[in-house]
Amino acid sequence: TRFCVHNVLDPMLSAELGGSADLVFCRNLLIYFTEDAVRKALSNIARVMRPGSILVLGASETMRETRLFEPVETASAVFWRRTATPVTPADTAAAQP
């Protein structure tokens, strides 16, 4: 078991972890980002996660439309499961006006 703190906007994030994360907590962070930064952060996070691993967001955060994660609903919370979909340049592209 290993616990780490990383910058989700760092493009080197995936090089450091190499798709090995089983669980990522990113609570109450994305609400402060622009759409472009959220897209980049989610792309970077997806790159470090194994398919089937879980992303935990804060209650005030909503997942943007993405094919990289799917919702997992429980009685008291919604988590996000990493799909097996590969991350592509389109997943990090700037938001269109």
Side-chain angles (χ1 to χ4, degrees), residues 1 4 10 19-20 28 32 36 38 44 47 52-53 65-66 74-77 80 83 96-97:
T1 302
C4 305
D10 183 355
S20 63
N28 303 323
Y32 299 103
D36 183 42
V38 168
N44 286 343
R47 280 189 181 97
S53 56
E65 184 177 329
T66 179
T74 68
S76 59
W80 298 92
T83 64
Q96 299 298 316

Side-chain angles (χ1 to χ4, degrees), residues 2-3 16 18-19 21 26 31 36 40 42 45 50 53-54 61 63-64 70 72-73 76 78 83 87-88 96:
R2 186 174 93 177
F3 295 92
E16 293 175 30
C26 189
I31 58 175
D36 183 42
K40 289 177 184 176
L42 289 175
I45 291 168
R50 296 176 198 203
S53 56
I54 299 295
E61 294 169 308
M63 178 64 76
R64 299 341 191 248
E70 60 188 7
V72 177
E73 297 184 32
S76 59
V78 175
T83 64
V87 180
T88 66
Q96 299 298 316

Side-chain angles (χ1 to χ4, degrees), residues 10-67:
D10 183 355
M12 295 305 297
L13 178 65
S14 61
E16 293 175 30
L17 296 177
S20 63
D22 294 313
L23 179 64
V24 174
F25 289 91
C26 189
R27 293 182 47 88
N28 303 323
L29 173 68
L30 301 180
I31 58 175
Y32 299 103
F33 288 0
T34 64
E35 288 292 321
D36 183 42
V38 168
R39 184 172 279 109
K40 289 177 184 176
L42 289 175
S43 175
N44 286 343
I45 291 168
R47 280 189 181 97
V48 303
M49 297 176 74
R50 296 176 198 203
S53 56
I54 299 295
L55 171 63
V56 179
L57 298 177
S60 60
E61 294 169 308
T62 57
M63 178 64 76
R64 299 341 191 248
E65 184 177 329
T66 179
R67 58 195 181 87

